[in-house]
Amino acid sequence: MKAYLILCLILCPAWLQAQHTPEKRVVQYVNPFIGTGAVDTNSLSGSNIPGPTTPFGFVQLSPDTRDAPDDPASGYDYNDKTIVGFSHTHLSGTGVADLFDVLLMPTQGEVKLSPGKSQVSRSGYRSTFSHQQETARPGYYQVLLQDYGINAELTATAHTGMHRYTFPASTQSHIVIDLDHSLNKKRGYWECRIIDAELKVINNHTLEGYRIITGWASLRKVYFHAEFSKPFDNVVMANGNNTPYPTTLLNGTALKAALNFSTTDKEQVLVKVALSAVSIDNAKMNMAAELPGWDFDNISRQCADNWEKELSKIKIEGTPEQKQIFYTGLYHAFTQPNNIADVNGDYQATDLTIGNAPDKVQYSTFSLWDTYRAAHPLYTLLQPERTAGFINTMIRQYKTYGYLPIWQLWGEENYCMIGNHAIPVIVDAVLKGIPGINAQDAYEAIKASSVTEHPGSPFAAWEKYGYIPEDIESQSVSISVEMAYDDWCVAQLARKLGNTADYNHFMERSAFYKNLYNVKTGFFQAKNKDGNWVTPFNPLSYGGNGGSPYTEANAWQYSWYVPQNVPGLINLMGGNKAFTAKLDTFFTLANKPGDVNGNASGFIGQYAHGNEPSHHIAYLYDYAGEPWKTQYYVSKVLNELYNNSSSGYAGNEDCGQMSAWYIFSSMGFYPVNPANGIYAIGSPILKAAAITLPNGKTFSVSVKNPGKPNIYIQSVKLNGKPYTKTYITQNDIISGGRLEFIMGTKPNKSWGITPAGVPPVWGYNN
Amino acid sequence: MKAYLILCLILCPAWLQAQHTPEKRVVQYVNPFIGTGAVDTNSLSGSNIPGPTTPFGFVQLSPDTRDAPDDPASGYDYNDKTIVGFSHTHLSGTGVADLFDVLLMPTQGEVKLSPGKSQVSRSGYRSTFSHQQETARPGYYQVLLQDYGINAELTATAHTGMHRYTFPASTQSHIVIDLDHSLNKKRGYWECRIIDAELKVINNHTLEGYRIITGWASLRKVYFHAEFSKPFDNVVMANGNNTPYPTTLLNGTALKAALNFSTTDKEQVLVKVALSAVSIDNAKMNMAAELPGWDFDNISRQCADNWEKELSKIKIEGTPEQKQIFYTGLYHAFTQPNNIADVNGDYQATDLTIGNAPDKVQYSTFSLWDTYRAAHPLYTLLQPERTAGFINTMIRQYKTYGYLPIWQLWGEENYCMIGNHAIPVIVDAVLKGIPGINAQDAYEAIKASSVTEHPGSPFAAWEKYGYIPEDIESQSVSISVEMAYDDWCVAQLARKLGNTADYNHFMERSAFYKNLYNVKTGFFQAKNKDGNWVTPFNPLSYGGNGGSPYTEANAWQYSWYVPQNVPGLINLMGGNKAFTAKLDTFFTLANKPGDVNGNASGFIGQYAHGNEPSHHIAYLYDYAGEPWKTQYYVSKVLNELYNNSSSGYAGNEDCGQMSAWYIFSSMGFYPVNPANGIYAIGSPILKAAAITLPNGKTFSVSVKNPGKPNIYIQSVKLNGKPYTKTYITQNDIISGGRLEFIMGTKPNKSWGITPAGVPPVWGYNN
């Protein structure tokens, strides 16, 4: 104990020690309203939710301002003026909506359960609200429902939501339960439909039920068990537009109930709702395990404590705004993937059977096209145990489904976006030695996912042509360059496991990106089966999610994606000078066609920080001898494209990726290749950061003269020694140590430009 | 042994003893083509299937002549000229299509898996066939697929289908597996959609997969494990209209695969396919338990033996045609309800969780509006153990769903038709003392189902108005008279259990039929909430399934439905003379409006034997002193509205009800009230019948001068004594005994007309 204290006094900066006191809890810096709404028509909502959730928890209990959420996918828009209720599951930060299960809403007066078709008209129990009477912090949300004078407070455990409603006096107080609330049933890309639902009154303070729903996730079974602190006098229910009537049981597809009470002034009614994807009995078991009592404040405190534990793994010094952005980002990154297994490990598998996870966790919501880039590398640093859980979930999915997740929701594949980016996630984790993953099982899964054709992955064509022909599969350029990267990852694990034949084969495939490089234009361009370039070609022209060679991007943005071999890309483009000159143009060419994709935003020239294809590009100057330009553009993004408003992200937060970019970059480094253990150095903006590693060691960053206008690195020390490489390695971090930057207003063009200082293709594991 | 022989020689008719020799097996009389197709535009298909199934088995493996079955619901129409393949699950005799899971089809030459949208164009592997090269008997189906010269033979165990395909020589022999084959996805009443499906090659002779589908059953999960006697050379698969390609795994929603072989001339390839509603592992377990080997002929023989065991519970003498109709009817009656539990008892419950049935059976396909009338009374006589299984399944459904099945398919409620006719089924079984049913649980379930409002059952209105107002719920007359009957059944079990208050309450409700009797017109007519008759009223006018007070019938047909109190109905109608005069008109009034419902057929005047509302009516003369008219019309129906052709039923066979009518009536009696243990006597047409009862006793019927023109009863003896009642009781049957008829060409108008001879309201249990 004494030795530890001395060690700490020696190794830990004074500010870090100070953070141990309660008033310095980092959780205070989380502002759940960041990312909840665009401030003007030129910005995007992060599509985040303001309501409470536990780290990686099943339940996200949050207000919905939309009857039939669609865009923003969170169901809550900071610009909206009314709230329809509080539903228990949400996606935070995605571009597509789903979940919104078991909506509760307290009301008073006449209650209209069936005000017409619920998907088209204003709900009969909606209330106006004001941000002046709304609070959100980790583990707590509060809003005054102005139409009724009801104060609503929310908190959550992993599998339960807890509500505390403070009513005015009335003989007509109600709590509405709406099982029909869902993503927009009319949205075109998929067809949401409730297949079956049930509401059942168990006794005068208990309600149970379920709904079976098909939507973005192909089939979800959502069971709940709800208890009320005050017995209700009676219950009316309705199915669809039927007239509500008193009953204790209703089966149907569009179920709502109103539980009716008499309340005295300021009377509090508490409700706790446990969920399960398996059965009502399991929902009940989840409640018994996590929320047997009624102490709302204690549950809220526990939830905040859980967040403090997770978020304080990194302690930072910086401006108040930086702390808000940083810790809210970490909060968003740790909101998902979500453990949808019950407390006993039961979960719904991809084939819709019920499995039991030996480690009691089965994760859902893998937005992998986004998160493999930086969010998962962040998890490997701070959440190794959960990383093993993520990967074991993925391997279980492979075992029933035949290949790894692409975009997984509620245990099911929705084939959103492109690539097979579970592969870099798994390879990175195995190569980093994350415990609890069977490397052979992992390799079997990633290899099968690289040879078994499935939607978006025409491997036979890939092998035959050396590229994906656009006339076989649209989005062919984006798929080709990302598939080449995934193949490189497969090769690395093959090598690690001594499988030379596979290593050679997948390394060969990993170079296929070259086959789509058009030396005449200097861009990756689509070819057809006949080998001819697809014409006409306009590098500014945007693609969406099909119908163009580029995915939510243009040729400018997709011509930088060779993270497995940046030197190879530089070579293709004519060497360092030509490469950096092209990057210069990229960051300054303002022209945009009329059809910029809705996901593209946060522009610096053609760079679009609001969507993932751009995320690594500012760091590429590091590889070509002009690291000060990396420093310039990284600091520009950090300072201009993040803020602590409701529009704090340049685009959808994307399940932690947008945040992870900030978290890494604000500390000064970023995993350009998320599976090679190399972090390119950018431009730190924090004054200091200290990462408490799972092995107990600390990796700290300190910055002299941080912040604008001191955006340029003057010099760096690693563990007290001058350091001139433009990268650090995973080993540098996990060994613990000190990275010290001295910043200034002018570039130090002699720093980081020797060939040995440039980030290598393959790093610590080489 | 010796004593038994002597007893048998004394008690059993010589013809019955002769039946014990193999060549006299009753199974030979089953003609599975009966009911498979209308012979002209004036007749209906029974909607039966010709393919093999075990008694009450999960699998019904049968040819489909329709790509997207709709009408006939069986998927096979005897009038069609081509077969699309052999799918493993079918409804036999229903008016609505569903199931059709896992279709296999052997082909040769070029195989077209994706000939365009599969629901609108001819399948690429369809073949012509001829009834001259087609065979069907219990446990066996054979057809020559003329396009390919492939002979296909089918047999089945409870959970598996077995195929034997004899190919000509070819390097291009194929077996197609089609998981997209389903009921018509465009049918208007419900929306069929495949939510998820998978095909997975396990090794070169094993294929597994599943499909999750919503249709008439709201959600079915169908898992399969298939083994092939010959390794396939390769497999191509396609999803929807995608180009097929070689692969070993495919996920999607519209999956097909072609397994490719080289075959020598007359080479046989066997396939066995096991199903489970729970998991692939369970499908595999089912196969291991039931079909570990490859002996097709032995499996076929076992299946026939199982049928012989069940069908020979009644031995009859009669014409060859009568035997075909009778035993095919019994075969159809025993085709469902189907045990959809796996061999270990696992099943999918109504709430889509997985349950485990302690008795290893969970029954599906309860077409109760049809089958409560005579099929279930037949099951209580011949299948008491399965009857307990049916009822315990129903009680389990109540426990998760809150009320008993109405029309249950694959464990789910589809609310087809009206009433709560699980109630008479359960009450009848409990009152008859069928072992294995907990009477208290049963009563809890039937009472809950009689007070908990649910679709089609507005009990609050029923209690408030004493009838169902048409402006609250359409089909109000049909619902009211049938609800009154169900209430009477509830009352009987209440009395049995000593619950006088409930008895009185439900007896009061059981008399509500009177409130819709319009003395001015002499018909049951609809009233609105305001108490006024709904106008205009035309007793000939047909209703369908909503929009009219009558369900698939008219006022003529629905004005006879008071089986719980026929004397009460007679009284309402003005006494015996007025009653029988009205019956006379009913049976002779030929007028039909243009809008006769598609389900109405088999007309004798307004009597429509093709649908269930008429089924008891010919027997009503027995109650009003003119039993010879019962004899006249019953024999007319038996002789004219049943035959052994593909159009052998006057309408849909309706899951055993149409057959049960024949089985009872041909032996001379019928359960007009299916829950009072009373069978009204009609006009036997068989020469003899002997029912081997579960208690080992035999109840035999013998008829002197059977058949046209001897349609009238001259005299009757029961156990050797003259018998003048127009009914027998359940006790008469289960005690064993002999019922002897002497028939003649002229009515004996003095038989059966004393008040004591008329069937009582309540019988053996009174």
Side-chain angles (χ1 to χ4, degrees):
Chain A
M1 186 67 190
K2 202 172 174 183
Y4 165 78
L5 193 64
I6 293 165
L7 201 67
C8 187
L9 288 170
I10 294 168
L11 294 178
C12 303
W15 60 269
L16 178 56
Q17 294 168 45
Q19 297 286 74
H20 284 279
T21 57
E23 66 275 18
K24 294 290 186 181
R25 282 158 59 103
V26 302
V27 76
Q28 70 181 296
Y29 300 115
V30 176
N31 173 6
F33 290 115
I34 293 179
T36 61
V39 291
D40 55 44
T41 53
N42 292 322
S43 64
L44 286 174
S45 170
S47 202
N48 296 105
I49 57 162
T53 182
T54 59
F56 307 96
F58 191 158
V59 163
Q60 301 79 40
L61 175 56
S62 194
D64 293 319
T65 60
R66 303 285 169 96
D67 272 323
D70 188 338
D71 187 16
S74 60
Y76 178 96
D77 189 321
Y78 196 78
N79 302 294
D80 289 340
K81 306 297 179 200
T82 59
I83 280 175
V84 64
F86 310 103
S87 64
H88 286 75
T89 56
H90 290 83
L91 292 166
S92 183
T94 60
V96 179
D98 204 355
L99 310 187
F100 310 109
D101 299 303
V102 193
L103 180 133
L104 263 64
M105 180 69 172
T107 74
Q108 279 193 333
E110 190 193 356
V111 59
K112 293 182 198 126
L113 288 187
S114 312
K117 296 200 177 301
S118 64
Q119 291 282 17
V120 294
S121 70
R122 187 175 185 273
S123 290
Y125 37 85
R126 189 180 272 287
S127 171
T128 52
F129 75 108
S130 150
H131 297 307
Q132 277 65 54
Q133 294 161 313
E134 188 188 29
T135 315
R137 58 175 186 262
Y140 183 77
Y141 173 86
Q142 169 275 326
V143 69
L144 183 72
L145 300 169
Q146 295 172 333
D147 289 13
Y148 314 115
I150 298 169
N151 193 51
E153 297 168 287
L154 311 176
T155 187
T157 70
H159 294 84
T160 73
M162 192 171 199
H163 309 240
R164 182 164 65 190
Y165 300 142
T166 305
F167 287 90
S170 173
T171 57
Q172 283 191 295
S173 292
H174 320 281
I175 296 173
V176 169
I177 297 202
D178 183 347
L179 294 192
D180 189 32
H181 183 70
S182 71
L183 81 152
N184 192 328
K185 297 195 182 71
K186 298 187 194 310
R187 183 159 173 141
Y189 302 136
W190 40 86
E191 185 192 358
C192 178
R193 179 174 153 201
I194 297 171
I195 286 174
D196 262 326
E198 182 174 88
L199 279 172
K200 194 190 278 185
V201 175
I202 303 301
N203 55 42
N204 69 2
H205 60 280
T206 310
L207 191 80
E208 293 179 345
Y210 59 86
R211 76 172 177 185
I212 319 294
I213 183 169
T214 171
W216 195 28
S218 60
L219 195 78
R220 297 189 306 113
K221 302 190 291 180
V222 185
Y223 300 90
F224 76 91
H225 169 86
E227 296 183 13
F228 298 77
S229 65
K230 177 185 173 78
F232 29 86
D233 298 329
N234 60 75
V235 181
V236 298
M237 299 187 188
N239 185 19
N241 295 321
N242 295 348
T243 307
Y245 66 96
T247 187
T248 56
L249 176 121
L250 192 60
N251 293 293
T253 55
L255 302 187
K256 298 182 183 185
L259 285 60
N260 305 315
F261 309 83
S262 284
T263 51
T264 55
D265 191 38
K266 296 199 169 58
E267 181 171 355
Q268 290 189 336
V269 180
L270 283 83
V271 190
K272 46 188 189 178
V273 180
L275 300 190
S276 164
V278 172
S279 70
I280 289 175
D281 285 348
N282 277 19
K284 219 166 151 178
M285 168 188 71
N286 291 338
M287 184 179 287
E290 293 176 0
L291 190 47
W294 289 99
D295 189 341
F296 180 96
D297 294 328
N298 188 42
I299 293 294
S300 175
R301 199 177 307 116
Q302 279 178 20
C303 186
D305 288 351
N306 284 336
W307 279 111
E308 178 66 19
K309 181 183 159 217
E310 299 300 339
L311 302 182
S312 63
K313 290 174 176 174
I314 307 184
K315 294 283 179 69
I316 65 168
E317 264 196 295
T319 67
E321 184 184 3
Q322 285 169 350
K323 288 182 179 175
Q324 277 205 24
I325 298 168
F326 188 95
Y327 285 110
T328 305
L330 209 48
Y331 176 83
H332 285 150
F334 292 172
T335 293
Q336 65 290 300
N338 311 103
N339 174 26
I340 60 163
D342 293 317
V343 295
N344 67 350
D346 286 350
Y347 67 93
Q348 177 186 290
T350 315
D351 63 358
L352 299 184
T353 58
I354 302 304
N356 186 276
D359 48 358
K360 312 287 187 224
V361 287
Q362 174 81 359
Y363 286 97
S364 163
T365 305
F366 289 120
S367 184
L368 288 161
W369 183 78
D370 302 308
T371 56
Y372 83 102
R373 299 167 197 263
H376 279 283
L378 184 66
Y379 301 141
T380 61
L381 272 183
L382 303 179
Q383 302 285 352
E385 196 177 326
R386 288 191 169 102
T387 292
F390 303 157
I391 288 166
N392 289 326
T393 296
M394 292 176 186
I395 292 173
R396 280 193 288 268
Q397 173 156 335
Y398 152 70
K399 284 180 180 170
T400 53
Y401 204 63
Y403 39 92
L404 289 161
I406 294 153
W407 211 122
Q408 185 259 38
L409 180 59
W410 208 268
E412 284 151 76
E413 188 52 62
N414 61 30
Y415 296 105
C416 188
M417 308 310 297
I418 58 169
N420 289 280
H421 302 318
I423 293 171
V425 171
I426 294 174
V427 170
D428 186 42
V430 174
L431 295 182
K432 283 176 178 166
I434 302 290
I437 304 166
N438 180 308
Q440 293 293 348
D441 285 355
Y443 187 70
E444 180 190 321
I446 65 169
K447 184 176 175 186
S449 304
S450 303
V451 297
T452 308
E453 298 223 356
H454 53 267
S457 293
F459 293 119
W462 182 237
E463 300 257 5
K464 178 175 177 185
Y465 298 99
Y467 58 91
I468 303 297
E470 179 69 13
D471 51 358
I472 285 183
E473 184 86 31
S474 189
Q475 309 182 61
S476 62
V477 171
S478 296
I479 294 173
S480 293
V481 298
E482 294 188 13
M483 196 174 274
Y485 175 65
D486 292 335
D487 285 343
W488 178 87
C489 294
V490 179
Q492 305 318 309
L493 189 51
R495 183 173 61 171
K496 170 90 174 174
L497 298 175
N499 187 335
T500 307
D502 278 8
Y503 171 76
N504 290 333
H505 178 66
F506 284 102
M507 279 306 283
E508 192 184 322
R509 284 180 23 169
S510 80
F512 283 176
Y513 68 88
K514 293 176 184 167
N515 300 330
L516 290 186
Y517 187 76
N518 187 343
V519 289
K520 288 192 186 155
T521 63
F523 290 98
F524 288 126
Q525 279 179 242
K527 284 180 184 170
N528 281 327
K529 285 196 294 276
D530 60 13
N532 292 324
W533 298 112
V534 173
T535 55
F537 170 69
N538 174 359
L540 293 170
S541 178
Y542 262 81
N545 301 92
S548 153
Y550 305 98
T551 301
E552 296 185 356
N554 64 16
W556 267 112
Q557 290 151 6
Y558 256 108
S559 289
W560 309 104
Y561 197 76
V562 191
Q564 73 274 30
N565 190 359
V566 182
L569 177 65
I570 293 170
N571 190 45
L572 267 188
M573 287 187 169
N576 281 353
K577 285 291 161 206
F579 182 79
T580 54
K582 193 173 179 96
L583 276 173
D584 292 346
T585 308
F586 174 74
F587 277 104
T588 51
L589 183 67
N591 304 31
K592 284 178 194 64
D595 64 347
V596 168
N597 185 274
N599 287 292
S601 53
F603 284 100
I604 302 172
Q606 292 303 307
Y607 180 90
H609 193 71
N611 210 2
E612 279 65 18
S614 291
H615 276 195
H616 66 299
I617 303 175
Y619 285 92
L620 295 182
Y621 285 109
D622 272 1
Y623 296 74
E626 300 187 18
W628 59 91
K629 288 183 180 168
T630 287
Q631 294 153 35
Y632 175 81
Y633 285 113
V634 166
S635 67
K636 187 173 174 69
V637 173
L638 285 166
N639 286 311
E640 297 177 13
L641 296 174
Y642 289 86
N643 64 65
N644 63 349
S645 78
S646 69
S647 191
Y649 299 108
N652 290 332
E653 198 276 333
D654 283 331
C655 296
Q657 170 57 25
M658 196 70 87
S659 294
W661 192 97
Y662 186 92
I663 291 159
F664 278 122
S665 295
S666 68
M667 295 191 293
F669 47 90
Y670 183 84
V672 170
N673 175 340
N676 77 345
I678 299 292
Y679 301 83
I681 288 175
S683 173
I685 58 165
L686 302 176
K687 190 176 173 195
I691 306 172
T692 304
L693 296 156
N695 58 15
K697 295 179 179 171
T698 299
F699 182 77
S700 67
V701 177
S702 62
V703 182
K704 193 169 173 189
N705 312 322
K708 281 195 294 186
N710 302 308
I711 63 174
Y712 293 109
I713 291 173
Q714 305 302 305
S715 65
V716 180
K717 281 185 183 169
L718 180 62
N719 298 324
K721 293 177 189 160
Y723 192 77
T724 57
K725 294 177 184 171
T726 61
Y727 67 96
I728 57 171
T729 69
Q730 179 73 1
N731 277 337
D732 293 333
I733 297 175
I734 62 167
S735 305
R738 283 169 294 134
L739 184 65
E740 296 166 274
F741 292 94
I742 297 177
M743 307 300 286
T745 57
K746 296 261 157 30
N748 173 1
K749 293 190 177 176
S750 66
W751 180 83
I753 60 163
T754 67
V758 170
V761 175
W762 183 242
Y764 69 99
N765 201 57
N766 207 355
Chain B
M1 184 66 192
K2 204 173 176 184
Y4 165 76
L5 191 64
I6 292 165
L7 199 68
C8 187
L9 288 171
I10 295 167
L11 293 178
C12 302
W15 61 268
L16 179 56
Q17 293 168 47
Q19 297 287 74
H20 284 280
T21 57
E23 66 275 18
K24 296 290 186 181
R25 282 157 60 103
V26 302
V27 76
Q28 70 181 297
Y29 300 116
V30 176
N31 173 7
F33 290 114
I34 293 178
T36 61
V39 291
D40 55 43
T41 53
N42 292 321
S43 64
L44 285 174
S45 170
S47 202
N48 295 106
I49 56 162
T53 182
T54 59
F56 307 97
F58 191 158
V59 163
Q60 302 79 40
L61 176 56
S62 194
D64 292 320
T65 61
R66 302 285 169 95
D67 272 323
D70 187 340
D71 187 16
S74 60
Y76 178 97
D77 190 321
Y78 197 77
N79 302 293
D80 288 340
K81 306 299 180 199
T82 59
I83 281 175
V84 63
F86 310 103
S87 66
H88 286 76
T89 55
H90 290 83
L91 293 166
S92 184
T94 59
V96 179
D98 204 356
L99 310 186
F100 310 108
D101 299 303
V102 193
L103 180 132
L104 264 63
M105 180 68 171
T107 73
Q108 279 194 332
E110 190 193 355
V111 59
K112 294 182 198 126
L113 286 187
S114 312
K117 294 199 177 301
S118 63
Q119 291 281 18
V120 294
S121 69
R122 187 175 183 275
S123 289
Y125 38 85
R126 188 181 272 285
S127 171
T128 53
F129 75 109
S130 151
H131 296 308
Q132 277 66 54
Q133 293 161 313
E134 189 189 30
T135 315
R137 59 177 185 261
Y140 184 77
Y141 173 86
Q142 169 275 327
V143 69
L144 182 73
L145 300 169
Q146 295 171 333
D147 289 13
Y148 314 115
I150 298 168
N151 192 51
E153 298 169 286
L154 311 175
T155 187
T157 70
H159 294 83
T160 73
M162 193 172 197
H163 309 242
R164 182 165 65 188
Y165 299 142
T166 306
F167 286 90
S170 172
T171 57
Q172 283 192 296
S173 292
H174 320 282
I175 296 174
V176 168
I177 297 200
D178 184 347
L179 294 192
D180 189 32
H181 184 69
S182 72
L183 80 151
N184 193 328
K185 297 195 182 71
K186 298 186 194 313
R187 183 160 173 140
Y189 301 136
W190 39 86
E191 185 192 357
C192 178
R193 178 174 152 201
I194 297 171
I195 287 174
D196 262 327
E198 182 174 89
L199 279 171
K200 194 190 276 184
V201 174
I202 303 302
N203 55 42
N204 68 2
H205 60 278
T206 311
L207 191 81
E208 293 180 344
Y210 59 85
R211 76 172 177 186
I212 319 295
I213 184 169
T214 171
W216 195 28
S218 60
L219 195 77
R220 298 188 307 113
K221 303 190 291 178
V222 185
Y223 300 90
F224 76 91
H225 169 86
E227 297 184 12
F228 298 77
S229 65
K230 179 185 172 78
F232 30 85
D233 298 330
N234 60 73
V235 182
V236 299
M237 299 186 188
N239 185 19
N241 295 321
N242 295 348
T243 308
Y245 65 97
T247 187
T248 56
L249 176 122
L250 193 60
N251 293 292
T253 55
L255 303 187
K256 298 182 184 187
L259 286 59
N260 305 315
F261 308 83
S262 285
T263 50
T264 54
D265 192 37
K266 297 199 170 55
E267 181 169 354
Q268 290 189 336
V269 179
L270 283 84
V271 190
K272 47 188 190 178
V273 180
L275 300 189
S276 164
V278 172
S279 70
I280 289 175
D281 285 347
N282 277 19
K284 219 165 151 178
M285 169 189 69
N286 291 338
M287 184 179 287
E290 293 176 3
L291 189 49
W294 289 98
D295 189 341
F296 181 96
D297 294 327
N298 188 43
I299 293 295
S300 176
R301 198 178 308 116
Q302 279 178 21
C303 186
D305 288 350
N306 283 338
W307 279 111
E308 178 66 21
K309 182 182 158 221
E310 298 299 340
L311 302 183
S312 63
K313 289 174 176 173
I314 307 185
K315 295 283 180 68
I316 65 167
E317 264 196 297
T319 67
E321 185 185 3
Q322 286 170 349
K323 288 182 179 174
Q324 277 205 24
I325 298 169
F326 188 97
Y327 284 111
T328 306
L330 208 47
Y331 175 84
H332 285 150
F334 291 173
T335 294
Q336 66 288 301
N338 311 103
N339 174 27
I340 60 163
D342 293 316
V343 296
N344 67 349
D346 285 353
Y347 67 92
Q348 178 186 290
T350 314
D351 63 359
L352 299 183
T353 58
I354 302 304
N356 186 276
D359 48 358
K360 312 288 187 224
V361 287
Q362 174 81 356
Y363 285 97
S364 163
T365 305
F366 289 120
S367 184
L368 288 161
W369 182 78
D370 302 306
T371 56
Y372 83 102
R373 299 167 198 263
H376 278 282
L378 184 66
Y379 301 141
T380 60
L381 272 183
L382 304 179
Q383 303 285 352
E385 196 177 325
R386 288 190 169 101
T387 292
F390 302 156
I391 288 165
N392 288 326
T393 296
M394 292 175 186
I395 292 171
R396 280 194 287 268
Q397 174 156 335
Y398 153 71
K399 284 180 180 170
T400 53
Y401 204 63
Y403 39 92
L404 289 161
I406 294 152
W407 211 121
Q408 184 260 39
L409 180 58
W410 208 268
E412 285 151 75
E413 188 52 61
N414 61 30
Y415 297 103
C416 188
M417 310 309 299
I418 58 169
N420 290 279
H421 302 319
I423 293 171
V425 170
I426 293 174
V427 170
D428 186 42
V430 174
L431 294 182
K432 282 176 179 166
I434 302 290
I437 305 166
N438 182 308
Q440 293 293 348
D441 285 356
Y443 187 71
E444 180 189 321
I446 65 170
K447 184 176 175 185
S449 304
S450 303
V451 298
T452 307
E453 299 223 357
H454 53 269
S457 292
F459 293 119
W462 182 237
E463 300 257 6
K464 177 175 178 185
Y465 297 99
Y467 58 91
I468 303 298
E470 179 70 13
D471 51 358
I472 285 184
E473 183 87 30
S474 189
Q475 310 181 62
S476 62
V477 172
S478 296
I479 294 173
S480 293
V481 298
E482 294 189 12
M483 197 174 273
Y485 175 65
D486 292 337
D487 285 343
W488 178 87
C489 293
V490 178
Q492 305 318 307
L493 189 52
R495 183 172 61 172
K496 170 89 174 174
L497 298 175
N499 187 334
T500 307
D502 278 8
Y503 171 76
N504 290 335
H505 179 65
F506 285 102
M507 279 305 285
E508 191 184 323
R509 284 181 22 169
S510 81
F512 283 176
Y513 68 89
K514 293 176 186 169
N515 300 332
L516 289 186
Y517 187 76
N518 187 342
V519 289
K520 289 192 186 154
T521 62
F523 290 98
F524 288 126
Q525 281 180 240
K527 283 180 184 169
N528 282 327
K529 286 197 292 276
D530 60 13
N532 292 323
W533 299 112
V534 173
T535 55
F537 170 68
N538 174 359
L540 293 170
S541 178
Y542 262 81
N545 301 92
S548 153
Y550 306 97
T551 301
E552 296 186 357
N554 64 16
W556 267 112
Q557 291 151 8
Y558 255 107
S559 288
W560 308 105
Y561 199 76
V562 191
Q564 73 274 30
N565 191 359
V566 182
L569 176 64
I570 293 170
N571 190 46
L572 268 188
M573 286 188 171
N576 281 352
K577 285 291 161 205
F579 183 77
T580 55
K582 193 174 179 92
L583 276 174
D584 292 347
T585 307
F586 174 73
F587 277 105
T588 50
L589 183 67
N591 305 30
K592 286 178 191 65
D595 65 346
V596 168
N597 184 273
N599 287 293
S601 53
F603 283 101
I604 302 173
Q606 292 303 307
Y607 180 89
H609 194 70
N611 210 2
E612 278 66 17
S614 291
H615 275 196
H616 66 298
I617 302 176
Y619 284 94
L620 295 183
Y621 286 108
D622 272 0
Y623 296 73
E626 300 187 20
W628 59 91
K629 289 183 181 168
T630 286
Q631 294 154 34
Y632 174 81
Y633 285 114
V634 166
S635 66
K636 188 172 174 67
V637 173
L638 285 166
N639 287 309
E640 298 177 11
L641 295 174
Y642 289 86
N643 64 64
N644 63 349
S645 79
S646 69
S647 191
Y649 298 109
N652 292 332
E653 197 277 330
D654 283 331
C655 296
Q657 170 56 27
M658 197 70 88
S659 294
W661 193 96
Y662 186 92
I663 291 160
F664 278 121
S665 294
S666 68
M667 295 192 293
F669 47 90
Y670 183 84
V672 169
N673 176 340
N676 77 345
I678 299 292
Y679 300 84
I681 288 176
S683 173
I685 57 165
L686 302 176
K687 190 176 172 195
I691 306 171
T692 304
L693 295 156
N695 58 15
K697 296 178 181 172
T698 299
F699 182 76
S700 67
V701 177
S702 61
V703 182
K704 194 170 172 188
N705 313 321
K708 278 197 293 188
N710 302 307
I711 63 174
Y712 293 110
I713 292 172
Q714 304 302 305
S715 64
V716 179
K717 282 186 182 168
L718 181 61
N719 297 325
K721 293 179 188 158
Y723 192 77
T724 57
K725 294 177 184 170
T726 61
Y727 67 97
I728 57 172
T729 69
Q730 178 73 1
N731 277 338
D732 293 333
I733 296 175
I734 62 166
S735 304
R738 282 169 295 134
L739 184 64
E740 296 165 275
F741 292 93
I742 298 178
M743 306 300 287
T745 57
K746 295 260 161 25
N748 173 0
K749 293 190 178 179
S750 66
W751 180 82
I753 60 162
T754 66
V758 170
V761 174
W762 182 243
Y764 70 99
N765 201 58
N766 207 353

